[in-house]
Amino acid sequence: QVQLVESGGGLVQAGGSLRLSCAASGRTFSNYAMGWFRQAPEKEREFVAAISWSGRTYYADSVKGRFTIDRDNVKSTVYLQMNSLKPEDTAVYYCAGHRLPYRMPTMDPAGVDFGSWGQGTQVTVSS
């Protein structure tokens, strides 16, 4: 059974930075695409970023140039470096693992190709 545990959320002022981490266990981490999603209050979940098993990255337009996703296959951990944070980035951020190995992720906002989810970590950006 796949387990994903996020950490690194918190409160930061606009313009600041945070680095989220997601530690995975339960399967061969390096074979699977990983993603980050977020959900703000009273809004639908949205795609933020993803990284394929081969290291190809994907970003939502709203975070492109500010956020960076990367992975450490030795530590079975995926990261989301968030810079130049804005109040509209405030949300619960979820780590997700793809359902199938060696598949490229889509940027579907609902994350239909991701079958494993973490518990979420709150990110709050004050103005």
Side-chain angles (χ1 to χ4, degrees), residues 11-19 66-67 81-86 89 125-126:
L11 173 64
V12 64
Q13 288 189 331
S17 298
L18 282 174
R19 184 172 173 84
R66 300 188 298 122
F67 290 12
Q81 177 67 43
M82 304 185 295
N83 299 328
S84 302
L85 282 162
K86 304 175 182 180
D89 295 318
V125 184
S126 63

PDB file of all heavy atoms in Angstrom, residues 11-19 66-67 81-86 89 125-126:
ATOM      1  N   LEU A  11       2.830  29.331   7.284  1.00  0.00           N
ATOM      2  CA  LEU A  11       2.397  30.702   7.018  1.00  0.00           C
ATOM      3  C   LEU A  11       3.596  31.503   6.537  1.00  0.00           C
ATOM      4  O   LEU A  11       4.660  31.477   7.166  1.00  0.00           O
ATOM      5  CB  LEU A  11       1.823  31.314   8.292  1.00  0.00           C
ATOM      6  CG  LEU A  11       1.463  32.789   8.260  1.00  0.00           C
ATOM      7  CD1 LEU A  11       0.340  33.046   7.264  1.00  0.00           C
ATOM      8  CD2 LEU A  11       1.064  33.269   9.658  1.00  0.00           C
ATOM      9  N   VAL A  12       3.412  32.227   5.450  1.00  0.00           N
ATOM     10  CA  VAL A  12       4.497  33.027   4.890  1.00  0.00           C
ATOM     11  C   VAL A  12       3.916  34.314   4.320  1.00  0.00           C
ATOM     12  O   VAL A  12       2.748  34.339   3.901  1.00  0.00           O
ATOM     13  CB  VAL A  12       5.249  32.224   3.804  1.00  0.00           C
ATOM     14  CG1 VAL A  12       4.346  31.907   2.634  1.00  0.00           C
ATOM     15  CG2 VAL A  12       6.518  32.926   3.361  1.00  0.00           C
ATOM     16  N   GLN A  13       4.707  35.341   4.307  1.00  0.00           N
ATOM     17  CA  GLN A  13       4.260  36.601   3.716  1.00  0.00           C
ATOM     18  C   GLN A  13       4.362  36.543   2.196  1.00  0.00           C
ATOM     19  O   GLN A  13       5.169  35.788   1.642  1.00  0.00           O
ATOM     20  CB  GLN A  13       5.103  37.755   4.246  1.00  0.00           C
ATOM     21  CG  GLN A  13       4.818  38.109   5.705  1.00  0.00           C
ATOM     22  CD  GLN A  13       5.514  39.393   6.123  1.00  0.00           C
ATOM     23  OE1 GLN A  13       6.570  39.736   5.589  1.00  0.00           O
ATOM     24  NE2 GLN A  13       4.930  40.107   7.069  1.00  0.00           N
ATOM     25  N   ALA A  14       3.553  37.340   1.552  1.00  0.00           N
ATOM     26  CA  ALA A  14       3.621  37.430   0.095  1.00  0.00           C
ATOM     27  C   ALA A  14       5.042  37.773  -0.342  1.00  0.00           C
ATOM     28  O   ALA A  14       5.714  38.605   0.273  1.00  0.00           O
ATOM     29  CB  ALA A  14       2.643  38.484  -0.406  1.00  0.00           C
ATOM     30  N   GLY A  15       5.482  37.090  -1.386  1.00  0.00           N
ATOM     31  CA  GLY A  15       6.845  37.267  -1.867  1.00  0.00           C
ATOM     32  C   GLY A  15       7.829  36.289  -1.270  1.00  0.00           C
ATOM     33  O   GLY A  15       8.970  36.189  -1.737  1.00  0.00           O
ATOM     34  N   GLY A  16       7.391  35.574  -0.237  1.00  0.00           N
ATOM     35  CA  GLY A  16       8.263  34.624   0.422  1.00  0.00           C
ATOM     36  C   GLY A  16       8.308  33.273  -0.273  1.00  0.00           C
ATOM     37  O   GLY A  16       7.741  33.089  -1.359  1.00  0.00           O
ATOM     38  N   SER A  17       8.992  32.325   0.369  1.00  0.00           N
ATOM     39  CA  SER A  17       9.195  30.997  -0.205  1.00  0.00           C
ATOM     40  C   SER A  17       8.884  29.910   0.815  1.00  0.00           C
ATOM     41  O   SER A  17       9.014  30.120   2.028  1.00  0.00           O
ATOM     42  CB  SER A  17      10.652  30.830  -0.667  1.00  0.00           C
ATOM     43  OG  SER A  17      10.986  31.759  -1.672  1.00  0.00           O
ATOM     44  N   LEU A  18       8.488  28.769   0.297  1.00  0.00           N
ATOM     45  CA  LEU A  18       8.318  27.555   1.090  1.00  0.00           C
ATOM     46  C   LEU A  18       8.758  26.372   0.231  1.00  0.00           C
ATOM     47  O   LEU A  18       8.665  26.420  -1.000  1.00  0.00           O
ATOM     48  CB  LEU A  18       6.862  27.350   1.513  1.00  0.00           C
ATOM     49  CG  LEU A  18       6.301  28.166   2.671  1.00  0.00           C
ATOM     50  CD1 LEU A  18       4.813  27.903   2.821  1.00  0.00           C
ATOM     51  CD2 LEU A  18       7.027  27.860   3.968  1.00  0.00           C
ATOM     52  N   ARG A  19       9.192  25.315   0.889  1.00  0.00           N
ATOM     53  CA  ARG A  19       9.542  24.071   0.194  1.00  0.00           C
ATOM     54  C   ARG A  19       8.745  22.936   0.809  1.00  0.00           C
ATOM     55  O   ARG A  19       8.917  22.634   1.995  1.00  0.00           O
ATOM     56  CB  ARG A  19      11.036  23.797   0.296  1.00  0.00           C
ATOM     57  CG  ARG A  19      11.508  22.566  -0.491  1.00  0.00           C
ATOM     58  CD  ARG A  19      13.027  22.505  -0.482  1.00  0.00           C
ATOM     59  NE  ARG A  19      13.611  21.316  -1.060  1.00  0.00           N
ATOM     60  CZ  ARG A  19      13.834  21.132  -2.356  1.00  0.00           C
ATOM     61  NH1 ARG A  19      13.479  22.057  -3.225  1.00  0.00           N
ATOM     62  NH2 ARG A  19      14.408  20.018  -2.792  1.00  0.00           N
ATOM     63  N   ARG A  66       7.554  30.268 -10.993  1.00  0.00           N
ATOM     64  CA  ARG A  66       7.644  30.516  -9.545  1.00  0.00           C
ATOM     65  C   ARG A  66       7.861  29.239  -8.752  1.00  0.00           C
ATOM     66  O   ARG A  66       8.539  29.251  -7.724  1.00  0.00           O
ATOM     67  CB  ARG A  66       6.370  31.206  -9.048  1.00  0.00           C
ATOM     68  CG  ARG A  66       6.094  32.537  -9.699  1.00  0.00           C
ATOM     69  CD  ARG A  66       4.930  33.263  -9.019  1.00  0.00           C
ATOM     70  NE  ARG A  66       3.672  32.517  -9.121  1.00  0.00           N
ATOM     71  CZ  ARG A  66       2.964  32.119  -8.064  1.00  0.00           C
ATOM     72  NH1 ARG A  66       3.368  32.401  -6.839  1.00  0.00           N
ATOM     73  NH2 ARG A  66       1.831  31.470  -8.244  1.00  0.00           N
ATOM     74  N   PHE A  67       7.254  28.153  -9.201  1.00  0.00           N
ATOM     75  CA  PHE A  67       7.345  26.874  -8.493  1.00  0.00           C
ATOM     76  C   PHE A  67       8.251  25.914  -9.276  1.00  0.00           C
ATOM     77  O   PHE A  67       8.297  25.943 -10.512  1.00  0.00           O
ATOM     78  CB  PHE A  67       5.971  26.225  -8.361  1.00  0.00           C
ATOM     79  CG  PHE A  67       5.023  26.927  -7.418  1.00  0.00           C
ATOM     80  CD1 PHE A  67       5.277  28.197  -6.909  1.00  0.00           C
ATOM     81  CD2 PHE A  67       3.833  26.311  -7.046  1.00  0.00           C
ATOM     82  CE1 PHE A  67       4.396  28.831  -6.057  1.00  0.00           C
ATOM     83  CE2 PHE A  67       2.931  26.921  -6.193  1.00  0.00           C
ATOM     84  CZ  PHE A  67       3.212  28.185  -5.698  1.00  0.00           C
ATOM     85  N   GLN A  81       9.288  23.406  -4.581  1.00  0.00           N
ATOM     86  CA  GLN A  81       9.860  24.674  -4.155  1.00  0.00           C
ATOM     87  C   GLN A  81       8.962  25.793  -4.655  1.00  0.00           C
ATOM     88  O   GLN A  81       8.724  25.909  -5.862  1.00  0.00           O
ATOM     89  CB  GLN A  81      11.279  24.846  -4.713  1.00  0.00           C
ATOM     90  CG  GLN A  81      11.929  26.168  -4.377  1.00  0.00           C
ATOM     91  CD  GLN A  81      12.229  26.315  -2.893  1.00  0.00           C
ATOM     92  OE1 GLN A  81      12.709  25.388  -2.253  1.00  0.00           O
ATOM     93  NE2 GLN A  81      11.938  27.496  -2.342  1.00  0.00           N
ATOM     94  N   MET A  82       8.465  26.599  -3.739  1.00  0.00           N
ATOM     95  CA  MET A  82       7.522  27.653  -4.082  1.00  0.00           C
ATOM     96  C   MET A  82       8.152  28.998  -3.749  1.00  0.00           C
ATOM     97  O   MET A  82       8.428  29.282  -2.576  1.00  0.00           O
ATOM     98  CB  MET A  82       6.222  27.462  -3.306  1.00  0.00           C
ATOM     99  CG  MET A  82       5.588  26.093  -3.524  1.00  0.00           C
ATOM    100  SD  MET A  82       3.974  25.918  -2.720  1.00  0.00           S
ATOM    101  CE  MET A  82       4.460  26.039  -1.016  1.00  0.00           C
ATOM    102  N   ASN A  83       8.391  29.797  -4.763  1.00  0.00           N
ATOM    103  CA  ASN A  83       8.964  31.127  -4.598  1.00  0.00           C
ATOM    104  C   ASN A  83       7.961  32.200  -5.021  1.00  0.00           C
ATOM    105  O   ASN A  83       6.978  31.900  -5.700  1.00  0.00           O
ATOM    106  CB  ASN A  83      10.239  31.255  -5.431  1.00  0.00           C
ATOM    107  CG  ASN A  83      11.321  30.271  -5.026  1.00  0.00           C
ATOM    108  OD1 ASN A  83      11.431  29.894  -3.854  1.00  0.00           O
ATOM    109  ND2 ASN A  83      12.138  29.855  -5.983  1.00  0.00           N
ATOM    110  N   SER A  84       8.236  33.417  -4.633  1.00  0.00           N
ATOM    111  CA  SER A  84       7.370  34.551  -4.994  1.00  0.00           C
ATOM    112  C   SER A  84       5.912  34.233  -4.717  1.00  0.00           C
ATOM    113  O   SER A  84       5.042  34.457  -5.567  1.00  0.00           O
ATOM    114  CB  SER A  84       7.567  34.909  -6.474  1.00  0.00           C
ATOM    115  OG  SER A  84       8.917  35.217  -6.739  1.00  0.00           O
ATOM    116  N   LEU A  85       5.658  33.745  -3.540  1.00  0.00           N
ATOM    117  CA  LEU A  85       4.298  33.320  -3.192  1.00  0.00           C
ATOM    118  C   LEU A  85       3.334  34.490  -3.158  1.00  0.00           C
ATOM    119  O   LEU A  85       3.699  35.621  -2.779  1.00  0.00           O
ATOM    120  CB  LEU A  85       4.317  32.591  -1.856  1.00  0.00           C
ATOM    121  CG  LEU A  85       4.824  31.136  -1.946  1.00  0.00           C
ATOM    122  CD1 LEU A  85       5.245  30.626  -0.571  1.00  0.00           C
ATOM    123  CD2 LEU A  85       3.751  30.245  -2.541  1.00  0.00           C
ATOM    124  N   LYS A  86       2.101  34.189  -3.544  1.00  0.00           N
ATOM    125  CA  LYS A  86       1.040  35.185  -3.603  1.00  0.00           C
ATOM    126  C   LYS A  86      -0.102  34.736  -2.696  1.00  0.00           C
ATOM    127  O   LYS A  86      -0.270  33.538  -2.451  1.00  0.00           O
ATOM    128  CB  LYS A  86       0.522  35.320  -5.031  1.00  0.00           C
ATOM    129  CG  LYS A  86       1.577  35.652  -6.060  1.00  0.00           C
ATOM    130  CD  LYS A  86       0.981  35.634  -7.467  1.00  0.00           C
ATOM    131  CE  LYS A  86       2.036  35.921  -8.520  1.00  0.00           C
ATOM    132  NZ  LYS A  86       1.457  35.894  -9.895  1.00  0.00           N
ATOM    133  N   ASP A  89      -2.090  31.765  -3.705  1.00  0.00           N
ATOM    134  CA  ASP A  89      -1.510  30.430  -3.575  1.00  0.00           C
ATOM    135  C   ASP A  89      -1.961  29.727  -2.293  1.00  0.00           C
ATOM    136  O   ASP A  89      -1.654  28.551  -2.090  1.00  0.00           O
ATOM    137  CB  ASP A  89       0.026  30.507  -3.584  1.00  0.00           C
ATOM    138  CG  ASP A  89       0.592  30.987  -4.901  1.00  0.00           C
ATOM    139  OD1 ASP A  89       0.096  30.561  -5.959  1.00  0.00           O
ATOM    140  OD2 ASP A  89       1.543  31.801  -4.864  1.00  0.00           O
ATOM    141  N   VAL A 125      -0.565  32.243   2.611  1.00  0.00           N
ATOM    142  CA  VAL A 125       0.257  33.373   2.203  1.00  0.00           C
ATOM    143  C   VAL A 125      -0.482  34.648   2.581  1.00  0.00           C
ATOM    144  O   VAL A 125      -1.587  34.906   2.095  1.00  0.00           O
ATOM    145  CB  VAL A 125       0.544  33.347   0.697  1.00  0.00           C
ATOM    146  CG1 VAL A 125       1.492  34.486   0.325  1.00  0.00           C
ATOM    147  CG2 VAL A 125       1.139  32.003   0.283  1.00  0.00           C
ATOM    148  N   SER A 126       0.120  35.421   3.449  1.00  0.00           N
ATOM    149  CA  SER A 126      -0.510  36.661   3.903  1.00  0.00           C
ATOM    150  C   SER A 126      -0.068  37.826   3.029  1.00  0.00           C
ATOM    151  O   SER A 126       1.063  37.863   2.537  1.00  0.00           O
ATOM    152  CB  SER A 126      -0.152  36.935   5.356  1.00  0.00           C
ATOM    153  OG  SER A 126       1.245  37.123   5.492  1.00  0.00           O
TER     154      SER A 126
END
